[in-house]
Amino acid sequence: MKDIELLAPAGDLEKLKMAINYGADAVYLGGEEFGLRAKAKNFSIDEIKSGVQYAHERDKKVYITLNIIPHNEDLEGLEKYILDLEKANVDAFIVADPGVFSIVKKVVPNMEIHLSTQANTTNYSTANFWHQQGVKRIVVARELSLEEIENIKNNTLDTLDIEAFVHGAMCISYSGRCLLSNYMVGRDANRGECAQACRWKYNLVEEKRPGEYYPVYEDDKGTYIFNSKDLCMIEHLPKLIDSGVKSLKIEGRMKSSYYVATVIRSYRMAIDAYLKDTKNYKYNKEWLNEIKKASYRDFTTGFYFDKPNSEDQLYGSSSYIRNYDFIGLILDYDKENKLATVEQRNRVFKNDKIEIFGPNKGFYNQEITEMFDEEGKEIDVAPRAKQIFKIKVNKPVEKWDMIRKAREE
């Protein structure tokens, strides 16, 4: 049980470092090809090398997504790319397609392979088949209950690991195999270009009455009929772990560094509390309150306890709830003068009331009483993106700590 892994998304190098610093045991990321997040910044080979070095120096792991459902032309260059990734010393590949799997086994036979949720593994027979082929880990389909996951674990070898999503956006198509984006705008979700057409607003049109739009339910503004709530299982981590899940996966390679840090930090605290004393573990509602200080939709437990129903959908809006703004990343701290050097992320003013938080610790509140530019001149506002400025802080801070501010509205 001590080997439980918290697995974080990394959309770029900063997010990789943020995830690791805030408590992730491993990160998963995509290169510039062959992954399912084409709109993320993603990593060049050199950036992957840097990220792997950063992770390994801290005894963390890096997994690379090769999980597109490829057409013939998508296979061009794959073998060279796989060899480049092996030289970068990555820890595992995440694959979904049997053809990609076979190429990986041929080119880098000793590479650890994880089977993506895109492969739709929903039973122990399929899991055993893939383990016999050389798959080390199964990322189970999101459509499984805890009982089904436990059944898979009980009917597979101990050498096969189970990974499951525990937090983030939910796809309305079976394990993400969606055709809406392709049909609507010609962007193939299964080749990394999903337009999230499921979150658009829809009305009903009868075939012989073109132009007459009927709401799917009684609201003249229409409805977001396919729009799921976001998954959140932080209240139920003991049940997930007890079901046999080894790796707890957070969704969100397109999300911000602030989101990654905030969510990972809460799950880290919850996992550590459970593993420290499983018999006397108590859920702390502050972990969820902290998660809600990043952007979020309303939450659901997905399929884990029962099949989703109308309560798990968001019919009124596809927008995120944002109660806090990330306003700065702390780069340095002058202990003698109690000054924090900050990289601005959203506009911040003197006299703003802020919260400062960081890895492995809580947060505290203070008011900004003094602000200075890089030359030491006193200022009243830091308006420019990534502007470097300094503020007087009430308590010691560290590099990678973050500053947030409640939104006035």
Side-chain angles (χ1 to χ4, degrees):
M1 188 174 289
K2 295 295 183 182
D3 294 331
I4 297 301
E5 176 185 87
L6 178 57
L7 178 56
D12 58 32
L13 194 54
E14 180 186 86
K15 294 172 189 176
L16 178 148
K17 294 178 179 179
M18 198 72 71
I20 288 172
N21 291 331
Y22 274 78
D25 299 300
V27 297
Y28 64 101
L29 57 91
E32 294 174 334
E33 302 175 90
F34 307 108
L36 281 179
R37 289 294 181 271
K39 296 303 178 182
K41 290 183 179 179
N42 293 324
F43 289 71
S44 67
I45 289 294
D46 287 341
E47 288 172 330
I48 290 174
K49 290 178 181 177
S50 297
V52 170
Q53 181 179 351
Y54 190 88
H56 286 180
E57 286 173 351
R58 292 156 180 81
D59 198 28
K60 310 297 183 181
K61 294 183 177 181
V62 176
Y63 309 142
I64 305 295
T65 58
L66 298 175
N67 57 344
I68 64 168
I69 309 300
H71 293 240
N72 292 325
E73 62 269 22
D74 294 320
L75 299 177
E76 296 177 10
L78 178 57
E79 292 190 10
K80 179 182 182 304
Y81 185 61
I82 288 171
L83 288 170
D84 289 341
L85 291 171
E86 183 190 40
K87 291 176 183 177
N89 204 23
V90 303
D91 295 285
F93 291 158
I94 304 170
V95 304
D97 177 73
V100 174
F101 172 84
S102 66
I103 294 171
V104 171
K105 290 296 291 182
K106 179 183 72 173
V107 176
V108 286
N110 296 320
M111 178 63 69
E112 183 171 311
I113 299 177
H114 300 172
L115 191 69
S116 171
T117 191
Q118 290 286 115
N120 313 115
T121 303
T122 56
N123 63 79
Y124 61 79
S125 181
T126 301
N128 281 323
F129 168 82
W130 281 111
H131 192 37
Q132 290 166 10
Q133 310 312 309
V135 165
K136 169 62 177 170
R137 177 183 295 186
I138 299 288
V139 188
V140 292
R142 300 189 203 204
E143 293 76 22
L144 294 185
S145 67
L146 289 174
E147 183 179 354
E148 289 175 304
I149 292 173
E150 185 174 6
N151 199 5
I152 290 174
K153 187 60 183 175
N154 291 339
N155 287 279
T156 55
L157 295 175
D158 289 340
T159 48
L160 178 66
D161 295 335
I162 302 296
E163 177 181 307
F165 281 95
V166 299
H167 193 93
M170 290 285 285
C171 183
I172 55 92
S173 291
Y174 200 88
S175 289
R177 287 182 174 246
C178 184
L179 298 177
L180 276 178
S181 177
N182 203 328
Y183 180 78
M184 295 287 192
V185 292
R187 286 167 49 179
D188 193 337
N190 295 310
R191 298 166 85 179
E193 297 183 339
C194 182
Q196 294 202 7
C198 58
R199 301 200 184 275
W200 299 351
K201 185 182 290 187
Y202 290 90
N203 286 272
L204 180 67
V205 178
E206 198 277 325
E207 181 181 9
K208 298 184 182 299
R209 294 174 175 81
E212 294 184 33
Y213 300 98
Y214 301 93
V216 181
Y217 78 121
E218 293 182 8
D219 184 332
D220 59 6
K221 294 181 180 179
T223 178
Y224 297 86
I225 187 173
F226 303 126
N227 186 39
S228 171
K229 292 180 179 179
D230 282 357
L231 179 67
C232 180
M233 288 291 288
I234 197 164
E235 295 182 53
H236 309 287
L237 291 182
K239 292 180 180 179
L240 274 161
I241 294 170
D242 292 346
S243 75
V245 176
K246 176 189 171 100
S247 180
L248 306 172
K249 189 171 191 174
I250 309 296
E251 182 273 341
R253 277 190 285 153
M254 300 287 287
K255 301 291 179 62
S256 69
S257 296
Y258 172 66
Y259 175 92
V260 171
T262 303
V263 173
I264 291 298
R265 176 172 166 268
S266 284
Y267 275 87
R268 179 77 275 157
M269 290 189 288
I271 292 168
D272 289 349
Y274 179 63
L275 296 183
K276 183 178 180 180
D277 189 353
T278 56
K279 291 183 179 180
N280 298 306
Y281 169 82
K282 291 184 179 179
Y283 167 71
N284 185 341
K285 65 181 181 180
E286 286 304 312
W287 297 330
L288 181 58
N289 289 340
E290 283 293 291
I291 286 175
K292 289 182 176 180
K293 291 180 180 180
S295 61
Y296 70 99
R297 299 184 182 95
D298 288 335
F299 291 125
T300 173
T301 55
F303 290 79
Y304 281 118
F305 297 103
D306 203 352
K307 291 183 178 180
N309 56 34
S310 60
E311 295 300 314
D312 298 286
Q313 294 294 105
L314 288 171
Y315 295 116
S317 172
S318 64
S319 298
Y320 284 99
I321 301 168
R322 291 180 173 88
N323 296 321
Y324 281 76
D325 285 327
F326 171 34
I327 61 173
L329 176 67
I330 292 177
L331 305 179
D332 199 6
Y333 175 58
D334 178 351
K335 183 177 180 180
E336 182 178 351
N337 296 301
K338 296 183 178 180
L339 286 175
T341 301
V342 182
E343 183 181 80
Q344 188 259 37
R345 294 305 174 90
N346 273 292
R347 191 167 58 166
V348 56
F349 296 85
K350 183 179 177 180
N351 300 323
D352 275 348
K353 292 178 174 61
I354 59 172
E355 294 180 4
I356 300 178
F357 70 99
N360 305 311
K361 56 187 174 184
F363 69 90
Y364 75 91
N365 299 284
Q366 75 159 68
E367 183 177 325
I368 298 178
T369 58
E370 299 178 60
M371 290 180 68
F372 307 91
D373 64 16
E374 285 188 272
E375 286 71 41
K377 181 180 177 182
E378 193 163 358
I379 57 176
D380 293 326
V381 60
R384 301 192 309 277
K386 295 199 172 184
Q387 177 181 349
I388 306 300
F389 65 100
K390 297 182 180 182
I391 62 170
K392 183 79 75 173
V393 289
N394 297 341
K395 296 182 180 181
V397 294
E398 298 176 285
K399 183 179 180 180
W400 295 104
D401 285 358
M402 290 185 166
I403 305 172
R404 64 192 175 205
K405 179 178 70 173
R407 303 187 79 170
E408 293 181 1
E409 62 271 68

